[in-house]
Amino acid sequence: MKILVVGTGSIGKRHIGNLLALGAEVLTYSYRQQAAPELAAALASDIDAVVVANRTDQHMAVALMAAQHGKHLFLEKPLAVSLDHSAELLRLVREQALVVEAGFMLRFHPNLQWLHAYLQSGELGEIMHARASVGQWLPDWRPGTDHRLGYGAFRATGGGVIFDLIHELDLVNWLLGPVADVTAMTRTVPALEIETEAVAQIGLRMASGVLAQVHLDYVRPGYGRDMELVGRHGVLIWDYVKGSVWLERAGTAPALVHQVPEGFERNTMFRRHMAHFLERIQHPTLPAASPLPDAIDVLRLALASHIASDERRHVDPRSLSPAAY
């Protein structure tokens, strides 16, 4: 297969490496080195699919152009910075039966796949509430770059923790959704010298009644990512750094119930997700791991979180339309 990767920043380079390792022929488009007409020509060529890995505020324009040319799509997260044209993209994808995967690679984390299956089994009983958290000091993310100049520093380009760390919103929606109500509080951190929110506390009420809290930040001194789900019959605790899931039951010590396999590394998730995308192109009846409607729903959650924080009110994400933000 011949795949065009649009955007050659850190995530674009990762996808290029994985595609090559998976045996694909890779073409690239860099905004720094090429002009817009060349992108149009590349999208109209005999490529099979497009990996959209450019800046967040440019995702939708490229995705629409690629879909109009009938190309399968791997869309980096988040889908966009607004809901504009999302319905049009969904229509094009459905009319042409295009294969689409949104880049929520944590759905391929072995711990989380085990956890998802365990929740589906019902063994934890009714889920009462959940908490998901991720944080890291922003200047440590990409050594050798100035975080004050990157996309994360500017809201217009999709920066700030709500868009940038949207994985946690996707995980809660995937495991427990759909979401019916959103509240949020955010703060900026002057020491980072960026205009976007550096800390977000988001409250979610699922349609099922489950309550969830999502914490996102650019300020944690060391990287941390974890999740806790409290059910009627126990508590599941996931720790990304340790690669483990623990189960606590009343009156017993926590038990290790799942550990990532030996040799697992962060890129394993990206590579497995890309392999699934390529396999779906060859076998379109295979189910999507991270379908486009889910990506639109999670974008609604991110936008609802911004509205809830800015306007200090509850927001039903299902009510949002392109005109709402």
Side-chain angles (χ1 to χ4, degrees):
M1 281 180 281
K2 187 182 293 186
I3 314 295
L4 172 67
V5 178
V6 178
T8 55
S10 59
I11 189 62
K13 288 184 173 67
R14 182 183 294 276
H15 289 315
I16 291 166
N18 286 332
L19 284 164
L20 291 172
L22 292 166
E25 181 181 347
V26 179
L27 291 76
T28 64
Y29 178 87
S30 170
Y31 282 81
R32 296 181 182 89
Q33 300 173 6
Q34 293 160 287
E38 295 176 31
L39 175 58
L43 291 170
S45 68
D46 63 344
I47 57 172
D48 297 290
V50 178
V51 175
V52 181
N54 52 345
R55 210 172 62 194
T56 301
D57 60 313
Q58 300 169 330
H59 283 180
M60 184 58 72
V62 176
L64 282 172
M65 290 173 62
Q68 288 162 357
H69 284 93
K71 309 304 182 184
H72 303 298
L73 289 163
F74 190 102
L75 303 169
E76 258 311 318
K77 58 80 188 172
L79 177 63
V81 295
S82 79
L83 289 168
D84 292 347
H85 305 294
S86 57
E88 181 184 356
L89 178 62
L90 187 59
R91 177 184 60 80
L92 287 168
V93 165
R94 287 174 170 169
E95 286 179 354
Q96 301 182 76
L98 301 179
V99 169
V100 178
E101 288 285 339
F104 291 107
M105 86 293 178
L106 280 173
R107 294 190 181 199
F108 281 83
H109 193 290
N111 287 160
L112 293 174
Q113 291 186 326
W114 180 91
L115 195 152
H116 184 269
Y118 191 84
L119 290 179
Q120 295 298 310
S121 75
E123 291 188 41
L124 202 64
E126 181 185 0
I127 306 302
M128 304 297 180
H129 61 89
R131 176 191 55 78
S133 177
V134 62
Q136 184 180 16
W137 181 238
L138 181 60
D140 292 341
W141 277 28
R142 299 180 181 90
T145 64
D146 188 340
H147 70 279
R148 297 169 299 180
L149 304 177
Y151 71 89
F154 306 100
R155 186 146 165 185
T157 56
V161 292
I162 293 175
F163 281 138
D164 211 0
L165 298 174
I166 199 171
H167 283 293
E168 267 54 34
L169 289 174
D170 176 65
L171 290 178
V172 171
N173 193 57
W174 179 49
L175 295 171
L176 303 170
V179 177
D181 187 21
V182 178
T183 60
M185 293 185 291
T186 62
R187 64 165 293 184
T188 56
V189 175
L192 286 171
E193 300 181 74
I194 60 175
E195 70 178 32
T196 50
E197 79 281 354
V199 182
Q201 298 278 16
I202 302 169
L204 306 173
R205 183 188 296 274
M206 308 298 150
S208 64
V210 175
L211 298 181
Q213 181 191 52
V214 174
H215 169 86
L216 314 169
D217 77 65
Y218 281 154
V219 299
R220 195 178 191 277
Y223 177 73
R225 176 169 251 151
D226 56 66
M227 182 182 297
E228 180 179 273
L229 297 106
V230 177
R232 182 67 182 84
H233 304 312
V235 180
L236 283 173
I237 302 168
W238 172 58
D239 189 314
Y240 175 91
V241 175
K242 295 178 180 177
S244 60
V245 181
W246 294 77
L247 176 62
E248 293 184 5
R249 296 189 187 277
T252 64
L256 178 65
V257 290
H258 193 266
Q259 186 75 39
V260 296
E262 186 176 349
F264 172 81
E265 59 182 11
R266 183 168 179 262
N267 192 55
T268 303
M269 296 180 287
F270 290 95
R271 189 173 62 250
R272 287 182 60 201
H273 197 176
M274 189 58 70
H276 181 71
F277 174 60
L278 298 181
E279 187 176 8
R280 286 190 62 220
I281 293 174
Q282 295 177 312
H283 306 283
T285 57
L286 289 173
S290 184
L292 179 57
D294 285 15
I296 295 173
D297 286 344
V298 175
L299 176 58
R300 290 181 189 275
L301 294 184
L303 296 172
S305 298
H306 275 299
I307 295 170
S309 177
D310 293 345
E311 301 181 9
R312 300 186 179 186
R313 65 181 177 92
H314 289 252
V315 178
D316 183 344
R318 299 167 299 183
S319 70
L320 296 187
S321 65
Y325 193 80

